[in-house]
């Protein structure tokens, strides 16, 4: 949820920064540490989410092999968790792309070269697109995950 909140914050907050006069100071001093925080929480989220999913699938495999795993994945819970995980993983990779774009923006702001202004505009438009796409994927992922763990029962396959 921390990762999800951080991505939404950047998806909604960053475009408003373009209206500030001293944007380069905020980008060079504040955002590098925030981007590192988002990357680390995203990695933790992916690792623990995948670990929990694999833990359940190993349990179903021990109970009856591949057929039990397939049955579990075909239930509402299994489908919801699997789709949520796939969307979350896609959102995480988009987040890595966003971090890469931020790094390029930081470097462009640090350079004094006037030709970097055109590059900054291109990077900002890419960043805006990927932020919105990441926010949509992660919102869908969170919805599927909450549906799976809150409303759908664990499959009882025997």
């Amino acid at each position: 949820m921390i990762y999800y909140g951080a991505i939404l914050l950047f998806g909604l907050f960053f475009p408003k920064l373009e209206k500030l006069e001293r944007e380069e100071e905020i980008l060079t001093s504040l955002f590098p540490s925030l981007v590192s925080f988002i990357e680390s929480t995203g990695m933790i989220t992916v690792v623990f989410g995948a670990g929990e999913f694999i833990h359940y699938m190993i349990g179903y495999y021990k109970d009856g092999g591949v057929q039990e795993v397939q049955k579990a994945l075909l239930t509402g819970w299994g489908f919801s968790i699997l789709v949520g995980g796939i969307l979350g993983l896609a959102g995480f990779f988009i987040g890595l792309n966003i971090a890469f774009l931020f790094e390029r923006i930081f470097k462009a702001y640090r350079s004094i070269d006037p030709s970097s202004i055109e590059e900054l505009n291109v990077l900002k438009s890419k960043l805006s697109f990927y932020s919105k796409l990441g926010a949509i994927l992660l919102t869908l992922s969170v919805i599927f995950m909450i549906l799976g763990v809150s409303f759908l029962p664990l499959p009882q396959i025997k």
Side-chain angles (χ1 to χ4, degrees), residues 61-76:
Y61 182 78
K62 285 181 179 179
D63 287 344
V66 176
Q67 292 87 7
E68 295 299 315
V69 172
Q70 289 173 343
K71 288 178 190 176
L73 288 175
L74 293 176
T75 65

Side-chain angles (χ1 to χ4, degrees), residues 7-142:
I7 291 298
L8 285 183
L9 173 71
F10 278 108
L12 300 174
F13 180 67
F14 184 75
K16 294 180 182 182
L17 286 178
E18 292 178 359
K19 297 175 184 152
L20 297 176
E21 292 179 18
R22 312 248 2 170
E23 180 182 1
E24 64 275 356
E25 290 178 8
I26 293 171
L27 285 174
T28 57
S29 63
L30 174 67
F31 276 9
S33 59
L34 288 174
V35 169
S36 296
F37 174 73
I38 289 171
E39 288 175 341
S40 61
T41 57
M43 184 62 75
I44 290 168
T45 302
V46 168
V47 167
F48 280 99
E52 186 175 0
F53 181 74
I54 290 169
H55 168 75
Y56 281 113
M57 292 304 112
I58 288 173
Y60 290 119
Y61 182 78
K62 285 181 179 179
D63 287 344
V66 176
Q67 292 87 7
E68 295 299 315
V69 172
Q70 289 173 343
K71 288 178 190 176
L73 288 175
L74 293 176
T75 65
W77 175 87
F79 180 76
S80 180
I81 297 297
L82 183 62
V83 169
I86 291 169
L87 291 174
L89 191 60
F92 174 74
F93 285 120
I94 288 173
L96 290 178
N97 193 20
I98 289 171
F100 173 72
L101 288 172
F102 268 124
E103 289 299 322
R104 288 183 56 192
I105 288 174
F106 300 151
K107 287 178 185 175
Y109 269 117
R110 288 183 190 123
S111 76
I112 303 174
D113 186 15
S115 67
S116 66
I117 293 173
E118 184 178 316
E119 181 185 1
L120 278 173
N121 291 332
V122 170
L123 291 172
K124 285 180 184 179
S125 65
K126 285 182 180 181
L127 184 61
S128 177
F129 170 75
Y130 284 121
S131 293
K132 290 173 187 168
L133 180 62
I136 290 169
L137 286 175
L138 290 173
T139 299
L140 289 172
S141 176
V142 167

